């Protein structure tokens, strides 16, 4: 089932179940998708978002909430941090399965070997290939540090 349809079905189910946290999070996702479509109207494709666009949007939403949760924890606002964590869990239901650290390392090694990358100047090509193959499946900030470490020595 297409990602957009899964989100709409989940929203309807949350309404019927009267699950306020889930419903508000799903509505936030829907609003973010609509905002992105409106912003994309002038671009080629007439504002239609692809599955990859939706995955990238959801990944950004997760990252924003992780940063907010961290800030709330540092500020001693644990109830707000817990809400952010709950929202992260709901959003992640619609993302591809996240690779574990061993799988991330294996994916990096495979791309480096396949591209014949030998130094830091090849980092852009390696990261591009990783993004293409594993969109939404790993934290590319952390992966970038691992790629750089592997390419340097």
């Amino acid at each position: 089932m297409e990602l957009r349809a899964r989100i709409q079905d989940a929203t309807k189910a949350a309404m019927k179940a009267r699950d306020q946290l889930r419903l508000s999070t799903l509505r936030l996702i829907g609003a973010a998708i609509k905002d992105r479509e409106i912003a994309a109207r002038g671009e080629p494709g007439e504002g239609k978002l692809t599955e990859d666009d939706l995955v990238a949007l959801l990944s950004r939403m997760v990252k924003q909430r992780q940063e907010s949760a961290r800030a709330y924890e540092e500020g001693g606002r644990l109830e707000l941090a817990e809400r952010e964590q709950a929202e992260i869990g709901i959003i992640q239901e619609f993302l591809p399965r996240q690779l574990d650290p061993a799988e991330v390392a294996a994916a990096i090694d495979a791309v480096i070997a396949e591209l014949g990358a030998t130094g830091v100047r090849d980092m852009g090509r390696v990261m591009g290939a990783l993004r293409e193959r594993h969109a939404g499946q790993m934290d590319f900030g952390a992966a970038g540090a691992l790629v750089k470490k592997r390419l340097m020595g």
Side-chain angles (χ1 to χ4, degrees), residues 47-146:
K48 297 285 185 204
L49 298 181
T50 64
E51 291 287 308
D52 290 341
D53 293 336
L54 293 176
V55 167
L57 177 77
L58 293 176
S59 295
R60 275 194 304 276
M61 290 180 77
V62 167
K63 192 170 202 159
Q64 289 168 343
R65 276 152 186 77
Q66 288 170 338
E67 291 168 3
S68 296
R70 204 171 304 117
Y72 287 141
E73 286 172 4
E74 289 170 4
R77 304 290 309 269
L78 297 181
E79 70 285 351
L80 294 174
E82 287 173 11
R83 181 180 172 95
E84 295 290 327
Q85 292 295 342
E87 287 183 5
I88 288 169
I90 293 166
I91 296 168
Q92 284 179 333
E93 291 174 24
F94 301 99
L95 287 171
R97 183 185 70 82
Q98 295 293 300
L99 300 178
D100 64 39
E103 291 172 317
V104 170
I108 290 170
D109 290 340
V111 169
I112 288 173
E114 183 180 312
L115 296 177
T118 56
V120 178
R121 70 178 184 283
D122 295 320
M123 187 164 170
R125 288 186 351 186
V126 172
M127 290 303 294
L130 283 172
R131 278 193 175 86
E132 195 175 290
R133 296 176 193 175
H134 302 287
Q137 293 182 308
M138 66 173 76
D139 175 2
F140 289 104
L146 286 171

Side-chain angles (χ1 to χ4, degrees), residues 5-65:
R6 285 180 37 219
I7 293 168
Q8 289 171 341
D9 289 350
T11 303
K12 290 175 191 170
M15 275 187 218
K16 288 178 184 173
R18 299 191 189 283
D19 184 342
Q20 290 305 312
L21 174 65
R22 186 170 178 78
L23 180 60
S24 69
T25 303
L26 292 167
R27 283 183 171 159
L28 282 172
I29 293 170
I33 291 170
K34 280 214 181 344
D35 287 346
R36 182 68 186 94
E37 285 176 335
I38 290 168
R41 279 191 183 147
E43 299 171 13
E46 301 173 22
K48 297 285 185 204
L49 298 181
T50 64
E51 291 287 308
D52 290 341
D53 293 336
L54 293 176
V55 167
L57 177 77
L58 293 176
S59 295
R60 275 194 304 276
M61 290 180 77
V62 167
K63 192 170 202 159
Q64 289 168 343
R65 276 152 186 77

